[in-house]
Amino acid sequence: MDFHSLRRSYATHLLTEFRYDLKFVQMQLGHEHAATTSIYTLPAADFQIEELARVHRESLAATGSTPPLPPKRLKLPPLPPLRHSRKQKKGGS
């Protein structure tokens, strides 16, 4: 394990496990730009999805909006019955 692996792990844990603000993590790592800090953080996809959903909910709550309803499922007509071939095999019994 090298120094940068520990640094990435530290940054990722601060964001995902301890929920520190990105600005704080940026200061901890000594980066001038947040874009540099985002290179060091490697959160899992499920964490990213959960975090986006949380921010979305909080944004809607702050504006007094309600979340959109999921689209209604369309009812498709039933499929026509399958047609079986009536051809018989040659030389069969």
Side-chain angles (χ1 to χ4, degrees):
M1 187 173 289
D2 63 349
F3 174 72
H4 278 90
S5 296
L6 293 172
R7 192 169 161 92
R8 284 186 184 97
S9 179
Y10 175 67
T12 302
H13 277 59
L14 285 177
L15 284 173
T16 59
E17 298 297 320
F18 301 110
R19 307 278 188 188
Y20 280 102
D21 187 51
L22 182 62
K23 189 72 173 172
F24 175 78
V25 178
Q26 178 184 342
M27 289 180 354
Q28 286 286 300
L29 297 178
H31 293 151
E32 187 174 343
H33 302 285
T36 309
T37 306
S38 68
I39 294 169
Y40 277 88
T41 57
L42 305 168
D46 58 342
F47 174 80
Q48 293 175 11
I49 293 169
E50 178 185 311
E51 199 60 15
L52 283 172
R54 182 189 63 80
V55 170
H56 184 72
R57 282 192 308 272
E58 289 177 3
S59 297
L60 288 174
T63 61
S65 300
T66 58
L69 295 173
K72 293 181 180 180
R73 288 191 75 156
L74 297 175
K75 284 191 172 182
L76 298 175
L79 293 174
L82 293 175
R83 294 184 187 181
H84 296 290
S85 176
R86 294 183 186 248
K87 293 181 183 178
Q88 293 181 352
K89 294 180 186 178
K90 291 182 180 180
S93 50

